[in-house]
């Protein structure tokens, strides 16, 4: 990569970059969006996490979630340079229902979205996918691996989430850069195929 490190550790884009693409990383509360963006970003990701308070315990359902002490209150932002001329911007949206309007605004200009899901709480993905469908934003689903979470065959997950046959489904570990990259590639290939179909 042609990026240069500044003295403060910031990474500057190569001068050859001419195109930027925007992808959303969405999903319900505590599904791993911040971790996913952080595992892929070539720069130190922008995070807007705040410590969860006792008052928030009555609003955010922590059932089945161990060790969750912070929550995103605006967005996560990361960057990934794909080639000399193309850069990808990743926007992670907060998962709580009260932030729906915020991430709806974030969909403007996005090519598509990666929906992270958790097999312990698959039902919580319906609202997110429903909103994306209302907005006409194509998406792929990545089931994020959590230690101790039940594993199901893809066919069962597809049926549980009522996914269309063409909607990509992949399993990933948001903590692992290689695994997260595979999930992102799955989404980008799907979006590329859709764009190619539209131009046939």
């Amino acid at each position: 990569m042609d990026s240069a490190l500044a003295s403060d550790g910031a990474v500057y884009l190569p001068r050859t970059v001419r195109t930027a693409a925007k992808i959303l990383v969405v999903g319900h509360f505590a599904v791993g969006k911040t971790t996913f963006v952080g595992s892929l970003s070539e720069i130190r990701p922008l995070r807007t996490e705040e410590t969860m308070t006792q008052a928030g315990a009555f609003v955010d359902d922590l059932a089945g979630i161990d060790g969750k002490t912070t929550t995103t209150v605006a967005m996560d932002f990361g960057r990934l340079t794909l080639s000399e001329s193309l850069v990808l911007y990743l926007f992670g949206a907060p998962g709580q229902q009260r932030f729906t309007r915020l991430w709806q605004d974030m969909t403007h200009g996005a090519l598509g979205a990666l929906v992270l899901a958790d097999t312990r709480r698959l039902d919580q993905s319906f609202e997110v996918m429903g909103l994306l469908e209302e907005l006409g934003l194509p998406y792929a689903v990545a089931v994020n691996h959590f230690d101790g979470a039940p594993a199901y065959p893809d066919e069962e997950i597809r049926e549980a989430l009522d996914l269309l046959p063409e909607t990509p489904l992949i399993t990933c570990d948001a903590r692992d850069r290689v695994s997260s990259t595979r999930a992102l590639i799955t989404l980008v290939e799907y979006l590329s195929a859709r764009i190619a179909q539209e131009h046939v």
Side-chain angles (χ1 to χ4, degrees):
M1 236 181 300
D2 190 24
S3 300
L5 288 172
S7 58
D8 64 353
V11 181
Y12 292 96
L13 280 175
R15 293 179 180 172
T16 54
V17 169
R18 295 291 177 264
T19 306
K22 177 181 180 182
I23 297 289
L24 298 189
V25 180
V26 298
H28 57 72
F29 172 63
V31 76
K33 300 176 296 293
T34 298
T35 302
F36 184 91
V37 172
S39 74
L40 283 174
S41 182
E42 67 192 12
I43 59 172
R44 189 174 77 176
L46 168 67
R47 292 181 173 153
T48 58
E49 289 201 304
E50 293 293 336
T51 302
M52 297 181 69
T53 63
Q54 194 65 35
F58 297 104
V59 181
D60 299 324
D61 183 10
L62 289 170
I65 303 169
D66 297 324
K68 177 78 171 168
T69 59
T70 62
T71 186
T72 301
V73 295
M75 68 174 181
D76 299 305
F77 173 78
R79 192 188 77 204
L80 189 59
T81 304
L82 300 180
S83 71
E84 289 184 355
S85 60
L86 176 62
V87 65
L88 184 67
Y89 292 122
L90 300 171
F91 288 80
Q96 297 95 317
Q97 189 174 16
R98 63 186 178 274
F99 294 115
T100 299
R101 181 62 185 268
L102 171 66
W103 75 258
Q104 281 179 310
D105 290 341
M106 289 168 62
T107 63
H108 294 294
L111 295 179
L114 185 68
V115 178
L116 293 186
D118 179 352
T119 57
R120 299 168 299 180
R121 299 173 290 146
L122 284 177
D123 60 308
Q124 294 185 26
S125 298
F126 288 122
E127 185 176 5
V128 172
M129 293 186 302
L131 284 168
L132 291 173
E133 289 166 7
E134 282 179 27
L135 294 164
L137 194 66
Y139 63 89
V141 176
V143 176
N144 190 14
H145 171 76
F146 287 90
D147 296 333
Y152 301 104
D154 284 358
E155 297 76 23
E156 291 185 22
I157 295 174
R158 278 190 167 281
E159 186 176 348
L161 292 175
D162 195 25
L163 296 180
L164 294 172
E166 63 269 22
T167 302
L169 174 67
I170 189 169
T171 301
C172 77
D173 184 337
R175 300 166 295 187
D176 180 71
R177 183 179 180 88
V178 173
S179 182
S180 296
T181 300
R182 285 195 201 105
L184 190 62
I185 289 170
T186 298
L187 171 63
V188 171
E189 287 178 343
Y190 172 58
L191 297 176
S192 297
R194 284 176 58 96
I195 291 169
Q197 270 189 330
E198 289 171 3
H199 291 85
V200 169

